[in-house]
């Protein structure tokens, strides 16, 4: 089955700086790679996703890149704000969804 | 975006009783729904995958007789924790999708406390 690794587990940045979270996956059949933001006590919220036929996708301050050959994908958040502080999960899916272990992002004002 | 509703958001039950959690897709037909369990400060662990009208596929180590999953319609899946014990206390989350390769949306989760 699919195995997803996510790094770093914690990330602390200063407000306005960029944050990068990286994930690798094992199943080359995976074709959909979403990123979720989870705040304490709530369900994960989809923030951006990318499919295997696309290398990069951007939505305002958030971007995701995918390298199918290397089987890794990354989340980039620019101009970080305190409200970006949360746990971020990457996932890779074909028929089911496997999550990375999560990254706790703290943005210091 | 699409909405997935989970109910109840919080439930407390006595040890030995059963509790049911509902997951509804409000504005799309969910051919597949997933159930996850999440412990504090940990990632989501897939418990089972359910396709409408079929028996759920459980992950290794998940007791299917303890965690009963029903996906009777394209908008509703239920998870019943039977003979609950304190160690079953956790955050349970469902997600739903229209099918393989489609966006997967999550519910808000249900906190289960077994006393």
């Amino acid at each position: 089955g699919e195995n997803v690794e996510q790094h770093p587990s914690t990330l602390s940045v200063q407000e306005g700086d960029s944050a990068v979270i990286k994930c690798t996956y094992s199943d080359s059949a995976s074709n959909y790679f979403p990123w979720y933001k989870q705040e304490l006590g709530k369900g994960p919220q989809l923030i951006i996703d990318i499919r295997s036929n696309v290398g990069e996708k951007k939505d305002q301050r958030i971007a995701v890149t995918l390298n199918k050959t290397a089987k890794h994908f990354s989340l980039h958040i620019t101009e970080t704000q305190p409200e970006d502080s949360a746990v971020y999960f990457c996932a890779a899916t074909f028929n089911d969804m496997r999550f990375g272990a999560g990254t706790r992002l703290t943005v210091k004002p | 975006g699409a909405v997935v509703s989970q109910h109840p958001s919080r439930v407390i039950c006595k040890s030995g009783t059963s509790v049911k959690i509902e997951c509804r897709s409000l504005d799309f037909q969910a051919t597949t729904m997933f159930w996850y369990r999440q412990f504090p400060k940990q990632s989501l662990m897939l418990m089972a995958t359910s396709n409408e009208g079929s028996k759920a596929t459980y992950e290794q180590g998940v007791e299917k007789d303890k965690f009963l999953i029903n996906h009777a319609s394209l908008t509703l899946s239920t998870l019943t924790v039977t003979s609950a014990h304190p160690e079953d206390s956790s955050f349970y989350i469902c997600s739903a999708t229209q099918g393989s390769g489609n966006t997967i949306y999550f519910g808000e989760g249900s906190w289960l406390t077994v006393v």
Side-chain angles (χ1 to χ4, degrees), chain A residues 18-36:
Chain A
S18 296
V20 180
I21 303 171
K22 299 182 178 182
C23 288
T24 61
Y25 62 99
S26 61
D27 188 353
S28 57
S30 291
N31 60 0
Y32 175 61
F33 307 90
W35 285 88
Y36 291 89

Side-chain angles (χ1 to χ4, degrees), chain A residues 44-99:
Chain A
Q45 294 292 313
L46 179 69
I47 56 171
I48 196 167
D49 56 12
I50 192 168
R51 299 188 187 277
S52 57
N53 59 344
V54 176
E56 184 174 354
K57 183 177 178 180
K58 189 174 181 179
D59 182 5
Q60 298 183 339
R61 298 187 295 110
I62 297 173
V64 57
T65 58
L66 170 65
N67 183 326
K68 283 187 63 179
T69 304
K71 290 191 279 189
H72 65 70
F73 55 113
S74 301
L75 176 71
H76 304 253
I77 306 175
T78 59
E79 300 173 30
T80 54
Q81 301 167 3
E83 50 265 39
D84 294 330
S85 297
V87 178
Y88 291 81
F89 291 100
C90 65
T93 182
F94 180 56
N95 285 319
D96 60 28
M97 183 178 282
R98 304 289 170 164
F99 284 85

